[in-house]
């Protein structure tokens, strides 16, 4: 069981928007650290992950502005607007956490299907 | 451009050892912390280990602590993962990833190398 909880799957039609949530569910996850350091990754089938969003809502310049991140209380969210077929992939949230020593955790992943 | 290429994966028997390498280019390697992240077949991502930019600190996931050692050679722009006492559950694609900031995310990833532990 992952320390961060994501929905197993989401789907949407081309042009629509979808949102994927990520919640810290383990006692190991310090909420303050989680909501400050959460990042999001896209992993197309058979490929390596790619950073989409860092520190909740910051987007690297090489990433499309159709991807955005936000947070509300203890939940982080990734929104993809204007869905395209090429967005079909697995999406993971992650965060740096510190209980005894620094380490990092990932959510279980969300499979996005573009209908 | 930033590039990282892993090597050293393969098929190994349980309790044996294997060393992975990650050759980096396109950035100043000695300025960045580096991570190993793995993904078992059909499963999600699991963080494995981190090493500070200067090699002064290393931290591990509980699942590999005491068996795996992360190291780096800043003169060769190369990251390593020494894996001892391998278990079937260590079978995975192993990715090296650059740490964008000391407490932050993984901003660039290699293509991964597959490790299969099987008798």
């Amino acid at each position: 069981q992952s320390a961060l909880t994501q929905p197993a799957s989401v789907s949407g039609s081309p042009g629509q928007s979808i949102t994927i949530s990520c919640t810290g569910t383990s006692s190991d996850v310090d909420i303050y650290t989680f909501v400050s350091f959460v990042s999001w990754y896209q992993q197309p089938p058979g490929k390596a992950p790619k950073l989409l969003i860092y520190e909740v809502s910051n987007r690297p310049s090489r990433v499309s502005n159709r991807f955005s991140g936000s947070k509300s209380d203890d939940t982080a969210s990734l929104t993809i607007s204007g869905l395209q077929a090429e967005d079909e992939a697995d999406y993971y949230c992650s965060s740096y956490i510190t209980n005894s020593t620094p380490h990092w955790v990932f959510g279980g992943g969300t499979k996005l299907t573009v209908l | 451009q930033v590039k990282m290429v892993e090597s050293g994966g393969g098929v190994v028997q349980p309790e044996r050892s294997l060393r992975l390498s990650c050759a980096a280019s396109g950035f100043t390697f000695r300025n960045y912390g580096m991570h190993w992240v793995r993904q078992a077949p059909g499963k999600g991502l699991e963080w494995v280990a981190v090493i500070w930019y200067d090699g002064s600190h290393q931290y591990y996931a509980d699942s590999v602590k005491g068996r795996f050692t992360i190291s780096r050679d800043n003169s060769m722009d190369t990251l390593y993962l020494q894996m001892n006492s391998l278990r079937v559950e260590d079978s995975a694609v192993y990715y090296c990833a650059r740490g964008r900031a000391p407490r932050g995310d993984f901003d660039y990833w290699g293509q991964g190398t597959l490790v299969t532990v099987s008798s």
Side-chain angles (χ1 to χ4, degrees), chain A residues 86 110 112:
Chain A
E86 67 203 46
T110 299
L112 168 62

Side-chain angles (χ1 to χ4, degrees), chain A residues 37 39 41 43 46-51 53-55 62 90 92 94 96 98 101-109, chain B residues 35 37 39 43-47 50 52 59-61 65 95 100-112:
Chain A
F37 292 104
S39 53
Y41 302 86
Q43 187 179 32
K47 294 192 174 183
K50 170 188 173 183
L51 176 66
I53 299 289
Y54 64 94
E55 292 175 359
R62 61 186 179 276
D90 293 326
Y92 294 90
S94 177
Y96 164 82
T98 55
T101 58
H103 58 286
W104 284 256
V105 291
F106 286 92
Chain B
H35 300 257
V37 177
Q39 186 170 36
K43 302 296 184 183
L45 301 170
E46 179 188 15
W47 175 78
V50 63
W52 258 218
Y59 299 101
Y60 300 90
K65 198 176 299 181
Y95 296 100
R100 187 188 55 81
R103 293 180 293 175
D105 40 272
F106 320 104
D107 63 350
Y108 287 93
W109 299 62
Q111 87 290 346

